[in-house]
Amino acid sequence: VLSQLLLVAFTTRWCSRCLKLASEFDQASTLLSAADPPVALATLNLDVPVNAALAERFGVYSFPIGKYFFRKRFIGAFTGGSHAHEIVSEMLTIRNNLLNADKDERDGKEEL
């Protein structure tokens, strides 16, 4: 099952906070990939020149920063914590809220 929810951490190799986040993000990624339905996490290194356009497109002005996407659409900035359990908790809450809103929208539509 492909994840419909994705959290992207925009980072750099020279940012000390980004380096501290890396292991927590990896732990959270392992836990969230096993969730049902899963939540995907990815890291985007802004030291790579080709990624600069994405930083500009999504308003990345400080590091690290997380942005989350649902069904390939940008939804918002991640405001949860930086420890694995905080990332997991926040992303599961976001996932459940998005899926419940989607279900409510489908349930409210009349069929012919």
Side-chain angles (χ1 to χ4, degrees):
V1 173
L2 291 176
S3 176
Q4 296 182 32
L5 181 61
L6 168 67
L7 172 61
V8 177
F10 292 84
T11 65
T12 66
R13 287 186 295 252
W14 50 264
C15 165
S16 62
R17 289 185 0 207
C18 297
L19 297 173
K20 288 178 185 176
L21 175 66
S23 66
E24 298 290 334
F25 206 71
D26 287 344
Q27 290 175 31
S29 179
T30 298
L31 294 169
L32 288 168
S33 68
D36 184 26
V39 175
L41 273 63
T43 302
L44 189 71
N45 184 347
L46 296 176
D47 293 321
V48 178
V50 72
N51 294 336
L54 289 172
E56 186 174 325
R57 178 177 174 189
F58 294 108
V60 175
Y61 302 109
S62 63
F63 314 106
I65 190 166
K67 305 281 184 168
Y68 62 96
F69 301 80
F70 184 63
R71 296 185 177 149
K72 300 180 183 180
R73 292 198 165 107
F74 173 67
I75 301 296
F78 179 76
T79 57
S82 59
H83 295 287
H85 69 278
E86 296 168 326
I87 296 167
V88 169
S89 177
E90 182 70 14
M91 291 309 296
L92 290 177
T93 298
I94 290 169
R95 180 204 62 191
N96 293 342
N97 289 342
L98 289 167
L99 292 177
N100 287 337
D102 187 51
K103 181 184 178 302
D104 290 347
E105 183 179 317
R106 282 182 286 137
D107 288 349
K109 293 186 178 177
E110 293 185 41
E111 294 184 11
L112 294 175

